[in-house]
Amino acid sequence: MQTQQAFRINAAQPDKLKQFLPKPLIISTPVAGWNGFYFAYHRQSNYKLPETSPFQHIVTIYSKEFQAKLKINGHWQSKSYAATDVGIFPAHQISPAVQFEQDLGFIHIGIEPTMITRVAYESVDADVVEIVQQLQTHDPLIQQIGLTLKQEIETNGFDSYLYLESAANMLAVHLLKRYSTHKSIIREYTGGLPKHKLKEAIAYINDNLDQNLSLAEIAAVVQMSPHYFASLFKQSTGIAPHQYVTKCRVERAKYLLTQELSVIQVSQLVGFQSQSHFAKVFRKYIGVTPQIFKKAL
């Protein structure tokens, strides 16, 4: 499909959208992305996009029901969208021009094609993975993932990197299972991690609790794809990797709070960039804030 006439959208270069967006982005991930995952949120009214062709797979989630006009085969057509409708725009495919005539919030999640193939089982050929364009599809799970990501970023900023990356992997798996032309490329894994790999992963987590750990990084230690690793890790431990890391951070924080260290220092030593997020998570697990816990010692 030729894309010379379409505007190329790159999720890693959000500033280039300024020429089309009357209002600036409210939230956007760092330009480098999170291992092939990008997130953006903005609110607009009465604006139009030309034909576009994204470098990444783009999932668009809307904040409420609305009407829009799409230019399909040279003709403008009106479409009504429900609150749980979403759009899926595969990489390097042309998306039609669209005109919005009301105030609306937009969540855009960009996923690099390499992330999609990484989520699929290791032997899949990148050329085999094809996501089917959906100008309008009813998908409550995608809606929920998008809104959860937005809330998490608004509440905790980028302090929940591992959680956000896990949600992005969940979305990638869902796209492959439901919207790929090859529905059988996702393997089901059983039996948990081999004991030596589980030990290696746990050791790496505990040795790097002060770092902004990523799912891809931990999976690489045991030479597995993130999806493969996350599935088997949960079978072995009973909880997802991001939940396990949080549990380890809280346990390490409990010990460090007994030492001659301030709450701020402890927060940094267990990998929290935000002290308020640290206090929130600690209280959720322990029942009291770090300050109260330390005073009670």
Side-chain angles (χ1 to χ4, degrees), residues 22-23 43-49 62 64-70 76-81 98-106:
K23 300 177 183 178
R43 294 197 65 88
Q44 307 293 341
S45 58
N46 299 320
Y47 91 104
K48 183 189 295 185
L49 279 176
Y62 311 103
K64 60 183 180 181
E65 61 181 32
F66 68 98
Q67 287 191 326
K69 292 180 179 179
L70 282 73
W76 287 98
Q77 301 179 18
S78 293
K79 277 186 173 289
S80 297
Y81 286 75
V98 59
Q99 182 174 347
F100 300 92
E101 298 178 345
Q102 63 192 90
D103 181 73
L104 191 64
F106 301 84

Side-chain angles (χ1 to χ4, degrees), residues 206-264:
N206 282 296
D207 288 343
N208 294 276
L209 287 177
D210 61 329
Q211 302 299 312
N212 202 355
L213 289 165
S214 75
L215 182 61
E217 179 185 344
I218 301 170
V221 171
V222 292
Q223 300 179 322
M224 293 181 179
S225 69
H227 173 58
Y228 186 10
F229 168 75
S231 298
L232 296 185
F233 185 91
K234 186 172 183 178
Q235 290 175 29
S236 295
T237 63
I239 56 177
H242 71 272
Q243 295 171 316
Y244 186 87
V245 170
T246 299
K247 181 180 177 182
C248 289
R249 283 179 167 149
V250 170
E251 289 302 314
R252 178 74 58 83
K254 283 173 59 181
Y255 167 73
L256 292 175
L257 286 169
T258 67
Q259 309 302 305
E260 295 299 320
L261 296 168
S262 68
V263 172
I264 294 177

Side-chain angles (χ1 to χ4, degrees), residues 56-272:
Q56 297 83 13
H57 301 299
I58 304 295
V59 176
T60 299
I61 299 156
Y62 311 103
S63 62
K64 60 183 180 181
E65 61 181 32
F66 68 98
Q67 287 191 326
K69 292 180 179 179
L70 282 73
K71 193 172 185 180
I72 301 174
N73 297 325
H75 302 283
W76 287 98
Q77 301 179 18
S78 293
K79 277 186 173 289
S80 297
Y81 286 75
T84 51
D85 285 346
V86 302
I88 299 172
F89 307 99
H92 311 301
Q93 292 187 28
I94 292 179
S95 302
V98 59
Q99 182 174 347
F100 300 92
E101 298 178 345
Q102 63 192 90
D103 181 73
L104 191 64
F106 301 84
I107 292 172
H108 300 293
I109 300 174
I111 299 177
E112 293 284 359
T114 52
M115 180 179 179
I116 291 288
T117 55
R118 192 169 66 230
V119 168
Y121 68 76
E122 288 77 356
S123 62
V124 71
D125 188 332
D127 294 333
V128 173
V129 179
E130 181 180 352
I131 303 299
V132 180
Q133 186 178 85
Q134 306 289 326
L135 299 180
Q136 178 185 21
T137 186
H138 181 74
D139 199 315
L141 178 59
I142 290 181
Q143 182 85 358
Q144 180 184 2
I145 291 173
L147 294 175
T148 299
L149 287 169
K150 177 177 176 287
Q151 182 180 22
E152 187 68 22
I153 294 172
E154 287 177 333
T155 304
N156 302 314
F158 301 129
D159 220 9
S160 303
Y161 174 67
L162 186 57
Y163 172 80
L164 298 172
E165 188 187 10
S166 298
N169 270 271
M170 183 191 305
L171 175 59
V173 170
H174 183 65
L175 292 178
L176 283 166
K177 286 184 174 180
R178 182 166 177 179
Y179 301 106
S180 170
T181 54
H182 292 75
K183 301 296 191 298
S184 61
I185 61 175
I186 293 290
R187 290 178 177 172
E188 297 296 331
Y189 301 107
T190 59
L193 285 168
K195 289 184 179 180
H196 70 284
K197 287 188 179 290
L198 179 61
K199 186 177 180 180
E200 287 177 11
I202 289 175
Y204 183 83
I205 289 170
N206 282 296
D207 288 343
N208 294 276
L209 287 177
D210 61 329
Q211 302 299 312
N212 202 355
L213 289 165
S214 75
L215 182 61
E217 179 185 344
I218 301 170
V221 171
V222 292
Q223 300 179 322
M224 293 181 179
S225 69
H227 173 58
Y228 186 10
F229 168 75
S231 298
L232 296 185
F233 185 91
K234 186 172 183 178
Q235 290 175 29
S236 295
T237 63
I239 56 177
H242 71 272
Q243 295 171 316
Y244 186 87
V245 170
T246 299
K247 181 180 177 182
C248 289
R249 283 179 167 149
V250 170
E251 289 302 314
R252 178 74 58 83
K254 283 173 59 181
Y255 167 73
L256 292 175
L257 286 169
T258 67
Q259 309 302 305
E260 295 299 320
L261 296 168
S262 68
V263 172
I264 294 177
Q265 288 174 313
V266 172
S267 174
Q268 294 170 343
L269 287 171
V270 294
F272 287 92

